[in-house]
Amino acid sequence: MTALVLMALTVTTTPDVEAARLVRERFEVSGRTVPAEDPQLMAAAQRLAALAASKTASDAAGLLAVTEAVSRAGGWDASPTAIVIKAPKDRLVTELAKQKDLAQEPSTAMGVGFAESGSRAALCVLLAVRKFELRPVTRAFAKPPSRLPVCGALEAPLETAELFVTLPSGGVERQPMTMGDAGLCATFMPATRGRYVVEVLGRGPRGPEVAALFFVDVGASSVSADQQFVEPTTTAEARRVVTARINALRRTMGLVPVAPDKVLDAVAQAYADRLASEGFFSHVDPTGGDLKSRLAAARYRFSTAGENLGSSSGPLAAHFGIEHSPGHRLNLLEREHRALGLGLATRAADGLTVLVQVLAAPQRDDGADPLELAYGALAELRAKKGLPALTRHPALEALAVEHARRCLSRDKLSAELEPGRKLHERVFEVVTDAREASIDLAIVESAQAMPSSRNLADLRYSRVGVGLVRGDSPTYGDDKLWVVIVYANRDE
């Protein structure tokens, strides 16, 4: 008789494997593309799970802790969504299944990590939208290297990029990234010991977006990944605390503080409400409006302005994310900024706080002659470049004023309003000793916001005429200043 032997094979899986399967299922059910498991994010999630198991889930979910883990794992995704759960091992996946935001936002890359510590265990899921493919970059040096290239490829719809680096001193360096054999590249020099925060800021139809963020340490880093926030309990307190933190940073860098501005507060609050209620998160709204158009609608005149957007569990956490990003930090440290507007709103979908910061250098003409302000602004720009002052020329000024009026009346900003009749050619008719001439045209909010162009920095030119006309335009908006600047030299 042949004996029948039955064998049962039991296959057990770990919580991270089950969690990854759950995430994939949630994305499939939602109709979204399933994010791919990314080795860097997997390693970062494992590190964060270990941190949560030994400490708390909030310690592991903090922005600095997440960025530190991603960077140490060789990753670069900026502010990935971090879902961290601490519970008994057999409850981890059940608790994860209760999360409503698992597939709420599109993601193209994910990492899942699991760790145990005594009777407690932790699970971490990282979800990110990959915006940049970074070529390998060394993240730690014993002594300062001579140069450090940052290269890679942008993901659509991003088209151009800049490199921002927060230095150990707290200042920020900025430079464009240019196309080469290794893709888009820029090089910076970590000249001193300390931590460098490196950011690739991409630009596309939706405005600027942080495409990559990571740390580079020269020598031993003393930066702690622990970042605890005591969040304010009222909107008024949140505004006060965030403003105080911004001004503390500005004072540290030797800059004058910014003051709350009611108009900017209204602009920032209206946009925060839209971001929270309409479900988008971008500097450009779905209709194509940007910060400039929002300030124009509020009839706010400025020479420079910048906007920061943050989203997190509370206003201070959202601000920390802003302060932590070199590109956003540069707005906070813009020397010319004097005014601040803050907007705070809560997203109903996930309860996260949306923070909008608008910083600007307002224009207060106070009855001053706009033309005098314009010439003063040009003189200041020349002085900053170490160049001699230009001589104000009455004939060039009259020509510039006439052309500015004609541009406004035709709603067309051009040096050639009639075929074959260029403004450059008319210069030689009214200033017979001129040998060369150039024209700058601009539409600005204030007479002090004069364009800094190659013509302004050209040593050949010694004379200038400025034409200003303020008016409304169907194309360029209401209450704008149309500017025509004519440069010329002498026939010597």
Side-chain angles (χ1 to χ4, degrees), residues 7-30:
M7 297 181 63
L9 177 64
T10 301
V11 178
T12 59
T13 59
T14 55
D16 51 334
V17 174
E18 295 178 25
R21 181 169 59 245
L22 175 62
V23 172
R24 288 193 292 268
E25 289 174 354
R26 287 286 180 88
F27 272 85
E28 288 170 352
V29 169
S30 69

Side-chain angles (χ1 to χ4, degrees), residues 14-17 19-20 37-38 41-50 52-53 83-85 92 96 110-116 121-126:
T14 55
D16 51 334
V17 174
E37 292 188 4
D38 178 79
L41 290 181
M42 296 291 281
Q46 184 63 44
R47 181 185 295 270
L48 292 169
I83 302 169
V84 183
I85 296 170
L92 288 174
L96 179 65
M110 75 169 177
V112 182
F114 160 71
E116 292 181 272
L123 184 69
C124 175
V125 176
L126 294 177

Side-chain angles (χ1 to χ4, degrees), residues 377-427:
L378 290 178
E380 184 176 345
L381 288 170
R382 287 274 291 191
K384 286 182 179 179
K385 297 177 182 293
L387 302 174
L390 296 166
T391 301
R392 182 172 174 176
H393 195 283
L396 293 178
E397 184 176 303
L399 186 64
V401 171
E402 177 198 353
H403 194 81
R405 288 173 178 161
R406 293 174 66 215
C407 285
L408 176 61
S409 67
R410 299 188 184 197
D411 194 31
K412 180 181 179 181
L413 191 66
S414 173
E416 186 177 0
L417 294 175
E418 300 170 0
R421 185 67 169 164
K422 297 180 180 180
L423 181 57
H424 310 69
E425 297 171 352
R426 299 184 62 202
V427 171

Side-chain angles (χ1 to χ4, degrees), residues 130-463:
R130 183 64 48 82
K131 300 178 181 179
F132 189 74
E133 285 296 338
L134 180 73
R135 293 173 67 92
V137 177
T138 302
R139 309 295 173 90
F141 297 89
K143 59 181 181 180
S146 59
R147 57 194 293 273
L148 190 63
V150 177
C151 301
L154 286 170
E155 298 287 349
L158 297 179
E159 300 165 346
T160 61
E162 294 175 282
L163 184 71
F164 290 81
V165 181
T166 300
L167 308 176
S169 64
V172 179
E173 288 185 352
R174 171 185 186 178
Q175 59 177 302
M177 300 187 75
T178 56
M179 185 59 71
D181 294 339
L184 280 173
C185 287
T187 299
F188 75 99
M189 292 179 288
T192 61
R193 294 178 179 273
R195 166 155 288 182
Y196 295 78
V197 185
V198 183
E199 177 181 274
V200 175
L201 189 72
R203 296 184 185 275
R206 295 191 295 264
E209 300 180 43
V210 180
L213 182 69
F214 57 93
F215 300 141
V216 171
D217 291 318
V218 179
S221 173
S222 60
V223 179
S224 170
D226 297 326
Q227 185 71 27
Q228 299 294 331
F229 295 106
V230 179
E231 291 288 3
T233 57
T234 66
T235 300
E237 184 186 2
R239 290 178 177 276
R240 180 184 62 77
V241 171
V242 171
T243 300
R245 187 167 179 118
I246 291 172
N247 282 331
L249 174 64
R250 288 180 64 87
R251 290 189 184 96
T252 299
M253 301 306 297
L255 303 173
V256 299
V258 290
D261 185 293
K262 291 183 179 180
V263 177
L264 294 185
D265 274 341
V267 170
Q269 187 59 54
Y271 199 54
D273 291 339
R274 287 196 63 189
L275 293 174
S277 63
E278 297 180 25
F280 70 96
F281 194 75
S282 169
H283 293 284
V284 179
D285 67 34
T287 66
D290 58 8
L291 175 61
K292 187 175 181 180
S293 65
R294 291 189 281 276
L295 292 175
R299 304 184 80 85
Y300 190 89
R301 296 182 185 176
F302 62 94
S303 57
T304 64
E307 180 180 70
N308 290 332
L309 307 180
S311 177
S312 193
S313 56
L316 265 183
H319 172 73
F320 177 72
I322 288 171
E323 191 177 293
H324 182 61
S325 157
H328 293 78
R329 187 183 182 92
L330 194 62
N331 276 336
L332 300 178
L333 297 180
E334 167 57 51
R335 183 173 296 277
E336 301 301 323
H337 286 162
R338 295 291 185 273
L340 170 68
L342 297 176
L344 287 162
T346 302
R347 291 201 310 220
D350 53 19
L352 292 181
T353 297
V354 173
L355 172 63
V356 176
Q357 301 173 344
V358 178
L359 299 100
Q363 293 299 332
R364 313 292 192 199
D365 293 347
D366 298 328
D369 181 355
L371 197 58
E372 295 298 330
L373 292 175
Y375 278 112
L378 290 178
E380 184 176 345
L381 288 170
R382 287 274 291 191
K384 286 182 179 179
K385 297 177 182 293
L387 302 174
L390 296 166
T391 301
R392 182 172 174 176
H393 195 283
L396 293 178
E397 184 176 303
L399 186 64
V401 171
E402 177 198 353
H403 194 81
R405 288 173 178 161
R406 293 174 66 215
C407 285
L408 176 61
S409 67
R410 299 188 184 197
D411 194 31
K412 180 181 179 181
L413 191 66
S414 173
E416 186 177 0
L417 294 175
E418 300 170 0
R421 185 67 169 164
K422 297 180 180 180
L423 181 57
H424 310 69
E425 297 171 352
R426 299 184 62 202
V427 171
F428 305 112
E429 296 173 3
V430 299
V431 184
T432 56
D433 67 341
R435 180 165 52 88
E436 293 180 89
S438 290
I439 310 297
D440 280 346
L441 303 133
I443 297 176
V444 298
E445 302 290 332
S446 165
Q448 291 175 276
M450 292 293 100
S452 179
S453 68
R454 288 183 296 179
N455 295 326
L456 179 66
D458 195 326
L459 281 171
R460 292 177 300 171
Y461 298 124
S462 57
R463 297 182 286 185

